[in-house]
Amino acid sequence: CPHSSEIWLADLVARTRDSGPGPWALHEMRQAADGAKFPVGVMVRAGDFLLRAGMTNAAAVAARHSVKYANSLLPAYVLGLRCALAMGDLNWALLCATQAARSALDPAPFEKAIVDIQMLKGSSEAELASALNKLRLRFPNDPQWSERLGALYFKQGDMRAVSGVFASFFEKDLADQIRLPGLIVAAEAARLDGRHQEAAKILAAACERFPDNVDVLNNFIYILAQDPKTIDRAQALLPRLLARSTQSSSTYDTAAVVHLRAGNPRRAAEFSRKALQLVRPEDDAADELHLNAAEIHLILGDYESARGELKLARQGGRRPLAIENRRRSLQSAVERKNKG
C-alpha cells in the first residue's frame, strides 16, 4: 500500500524521531507535492507536523501545494499563513490571510491578521485604513480598531477623521473603554482642530483615570493655557508637573506656553531655551515647539531669533492645518515688525 496516507504520515513521524530534522524532509515533501500523491488534507497534516518540528522549509512546500489546491479548505490557508510568517514572507502571509478570511465562517481573526500584516508590510495607508475601518464597523464596541484607525488618521493630519472615529465612544459615554494612547490622540486631534473645550474635557477625564501619568497632565496643562478663562488653573497645576516630570522638551515647552499666556514672556523664554536644548528634529512636537519659541521671541522684540525658529519649523508636508496656519501667521507678523 505505497500511497497510504496514514502510513506515510506515520513514516514522517518515525523518521523525524529517529533521524531528526534534515534535508530528507524537504526532499520528501517535494516528491509528494510534485506527484500529487496525497489529498490536500493529508498534506496539511504533514506540513503542520513538520512546522511544529522546526522544519519550516519542508512545511512550506506542503503549505504551498495545499494552498494551490485548497478549494476553500480553511486549514490549508492557516498552514500557509503560519509558514509564511515563520519565513518572514509577508506577501504570501497576506495572500493566505485574505483567502482564509474569504473561506472562514468567522473571518474576524483573519481580518485582524490582515491588518497586522499590512502594518508589518508597509502597505499603503489607504489599504490599511480600509481594513481598520472594516474591523471598526464589525466590532463597534472594541476600541482597539478605533484607536488604531485614529492613530493612522492623526499621522495623515486628518483631525476631523480622528474625531469621527472616536465620536461614538464619547457620545455613548464609553470613553473609559479607550486606552490612554487613544485618549491622547483624540484630545490632540480636537485641540489641533480648534475644539479646545472638547480637548480639555477629554484630558480632564484622562487625568482622573490616570492620575500618575505625566504625559496626560502635561497635555492637560497645555490645553488649559490656551484659554484665558483657564490660564489660572494651568498656572496652579504647573508646579505639580515640574515636580513630577523628568527633564523633557515637552514639559519645558508647556511651562513656556503657560508663562507666555500668563503675560510673562521673559520667564517663558527661559523655559523655551531649555526645551530647545532637548528637542530633536524628528520629534512629533518639534514644529510646534519652534513656533512657540518664535512667538516668544516676537513678543520680546527679537525678530531675528523669531525668524530663525520659524525656519526650523518644517513647511508643508502632512502637518495639521492648524500648525501650518500658525506658522504662516507668525511669519507674516515677523515680516510686518521688520518692515515697521
Side-chain angles (χ1 to χ4, degrees):
C1 192
H3 298 304
S4 168
S5 59
E6 294 302 323
I7 293 176
W8 180 67
L9 290 171
D11 184 61
L12 287 179
V13 174
R15 292 181 70 180
T16 301
R17 180 193 61 210
D18 296 339
S19 304
W24 66 266
L26 182 59
H27 176 73
E28 185 70 28
M29 285 302 105
R30 284 173 175 167
Q31 278 196 325
D34 291 344
K37 294 180 178 179
F38 303 106
V40 170
V42 174
M43 293 295 284
V44 169
R45 292 169 63 189
D48 174 70
F49 169 75
L50 293 170
L51 183 62
R52 287 186 286 109
M55 291 179 275
T56 306
N57 289 335
V61 173
R64 289 188 184 278
H65 176 84
S66 300
V67 167
K68 183 177 180 179
Y69 298 103
N71 194 25
S72 299
L73 181 67
L74 182 59
Y77 302 129
V78 173
L79 176 64
L81 176 59
R82 292 167 58 206
C83 288
L85 293 175
M87 300 173 72
D89 188 338
L90 297 180
N91 288 325
W92 187 27
L94 187 58
L95 175 64
C96 291
T98 302
Q99 291 174 313
R102 292 171 180 165
S103 303
L105 292 176
D106 179 12
F110 302 105
E111 290 175 341
K112 294 175 183 178
I114 288 170
V115 170
D116 290 332
I117 294 167
Q118 286 179 326
M119 295 187 74
L120 290 170
K121 186 173 177 288
S123 297
S124 72
E125 292 181 350
E127 290 176 325
L128 186 55
S130 176
L132 285 170
N133 194 50
K134 185 183 297 184
L135 288 168
R136 181 179 71 91
L137 296 175
R138 184 186 292 273
F139 304 103
N141 296 323
D142 186 347
Q144 67 167 309
W145 308 116
S146 293
E147 291 167 359
R148 294 170 73 170
L149 183 58
L152 178 60
Y153 285 147
F154 189 89
K155 179 183 175 184
Q156 295 175 338
D158 191 343
M159 301 306 150
R160 285 294 173 94
V162 175
S163 297
V165 163
F166 289 107
S168 63
F169 288 92
F170 293 118
E171 291 170 357
K172 298 176 183 178
D173 200 24
L174 298 174
D176 59 341
Q177 295 183 10
I178 303 173
R179 294 173 297 182
L180 179 57
L183 290 173
I184 290 177
V185 167
E188 274 293 280
R191 178 182 74 84
L192 292 169
D193 198 40
R195 291 171 285 115
H196 289 182
Q197 290 186 347
E198 181 180 334
K201 182 178 179 181
I202 294 171
L203 290 169
C207 281
E208 292 183 7
R209 284 180 60 192
F210 307 97
D212 297 324
N213 189 281
V214 174
D215 292 334
V216 172
L217 180 61
N218 180 75
N219 287 16
F220 185 43
I221 294 173
Y222 192 94
I223 192 65
L224 291 175
Q226 309 305 318
D227 188 344
K229 296 178 182 179
T230 55
I231 184 63
D232 289 344
R233 189 176 180 191
Q235 287 181 283
L237 290 172
L238 183 59
R240 185 193 306 178
L241 174 66
L242 295 175
R244 291 169 51 187
S245 175
T246 56
Q247 292 185 351
S248 72
S249 59
S250 60
T251 297
Y252 287 140
D253 184 52
T254 293
V257 170
V258 170
H259 285 289
L260 177 64
R261 302 299 177 221
N264 190 355
R266 296 196 180 279
R267 183 66 172 145
E270 295 176 13
F271 282 106
S272 181
R273 280 193 292 271
K274 293 181 179 180
L276 290 171
Q277 291 172 355
L278 297 173
V279 73
R280 299 171 299 177
E282 65 270 19
D283 289 346
D284 291 338
D287 290 342
E288 195 162 3
L289 189 147
H290 287 299
L291 294 181
N292 290 335
E295 183 176 351
I296 293 169
H297 288 307
L298 177 63
I299 291 174
L300 291 174
D302 186 353
Y303 307 133
E304 191 62 33
S305 295
R307 187 182 296 108
E309 293 299 336
L310 288 172
K311 288 181 179 178
L312 292 173
R314 294 165 296 174
Q315 300 182 28
R318 296 196 303 178
R319 294 183 309 171
L321 183 60
I323 301 298
E324 179 62 21
N325 287 342
R326 187 181 175 209
R327 186 195 65 79
R328 293 177 180 176
S329 177
L330 287 169
Q331 186 76 52
S332 297
V334 170
E335 291 174 358
R336 287 196 302 271
K337 290 291 184 180
N338 266 340
K339 291 178 181 178

